[in-house]
Amino acid sequence: FVVPADNNCIRTLPPKSDVSHLLPVHFDESTHSGPMAWLGVATYAALLQRQSEGGGEQYEHRPLVNTSVLLCGQFKKGTGVPPKADLVTLLGDSGATILGSVAAMNKELKKTDDDSTLVVLCDDAKSDKQSGITAALSKAMAAALEDEDQNRRVMVVTYMWLFDSVSCGELLDADNYKPNSPKAKSLWDLSTA
């Protein structure tokens, strides 16, 4: 991380949703240029710098805590999607639990009394064969999504959901992250209905 100096500056995009719950208690909006500066790079960097120098309260925000994620697809270098290793690192740093197999996801889907979130993170595969969503997983997810006793949030999304959730500092809905393969699309339709 490089601290801005001289003529360098950092610009901030407006947040995609209300982020006031993420701000430190002592945050004073009057000293900032409106909501655009709330969780901007400069504000966040200053907070981190203060912590590293021993001042300021500890601040750790991991937006995917209590979320279990299964990576479905190939996620190979050179295919236009991020490598699996990068996604695993980002998921871990964001607080998510990574499910290593379809069997692990099927086991999690059977637990109905949990209030955590289950996510199937898809690459941009256009065919079911390349998507990694097996018939067994599709059937178990459809059953979980239709089960009225299921307390868990179950989502099927593209990998862009991960980047946007981390950027916004919160677990986003699946609505804007429709996958490409037919099985994934049908599960996405069920999860966003």
Side-chain angles (χ1 to χ4, degrees), residues 80-175:
V81 297
K84 188 174 186 175
D86 292 351
L87 295 173
V88 168
T89 300
L90 186 57
L91 285 164
D93 289 347
S94 301
T97 300
I98 300 159
L99 301 174
S101 67
V102 170
M105 175 60 94
N106 285 337
K107 185 177 178 182
E108 287 295 315
L109 286 166
K110 291 177 183 172
K111 299 176 185 175
T112 58
D113 59 342
D114 195 341
D115 66 348
S116 64
T117 301
L118 296 175
V119 177
V120 173
L121 195 70
C122 301
D123 66 357
D124 60 359
K126 295 186 181 6
S127 72
D128 286 337
K129 185 177 181 180
Q130 293 177 328
S131 74
I133 297 178
T134 64
L137 176 61
S138 181
K139 184 178 178 182
M141 289 197 63
L145 288 164
E146 293 170 347
D147 184 1
E148 292 179 13
D149 293 332
Q150 179 68 267
N151 291 332
R152 299 181 120 175
R153 185 174 176 190
V154 180
M155 302 190 307
V156 180
V157 293
T158 65
Y159 64 91
M160 290 306 298
W161 168 89
L162 173 60
F163 295 112
D164 289 348
S165 289
V166 170
S167 296
C168 291
E170 65 180 279
L171 183 80
L172 296 177
D173 291 328
D175 297 340

Side-chain angles (χ1 to χ4, degrees), residues 20 22-32 43 46-47 50-51 55-59:
S20 58
L22 302 175
L23 298 172
V25 177
H26 61 275
F27 183 81
D28 181 8
E29 187 177 341
S30 66
T31 62
H32 296 76
T43 304
L47 196 69
R50 233 182 302 144
Q51 287 176 8
E57 59 197 60
Q58 281 297 334
Y59 179 77

Side-chain angles (χ1 to χ4, degrees), residues 17-85:
S17 61
D18 178 30
V19 292
S20 58
H21 65 284
L22 302 175
L23 298 172
V25 177
H26 61 275
F27 183 81
D28 181 8
E29 187 177 341
S30 66
T31 62
H32 296 76
S33 60
M36 285 190 209
W38 280 7
L39 278 181
V41 176
T43 304
Y44 190 62
L47 196 69
L48 291 175
Q49 185 173 1
R50 233 182 302 144
Q51 287 176 8
S52 69
E53 294 170 353
E57 59 197 60
Q58 281 297 334
Y59 179 77
E60 179 182 42
H61 180 67
R62 295 170 45 151
L64 301 181
V65 169
N66 210 21
T67 303
S68 297
V69 180
L70 174 67
L71 294 170
C72 276
Q74 308 211 352
F75 295 105
K76 292 182 180 177
K77 287 184 181 180
T79 60
V81 297
K84 188 174 186 175

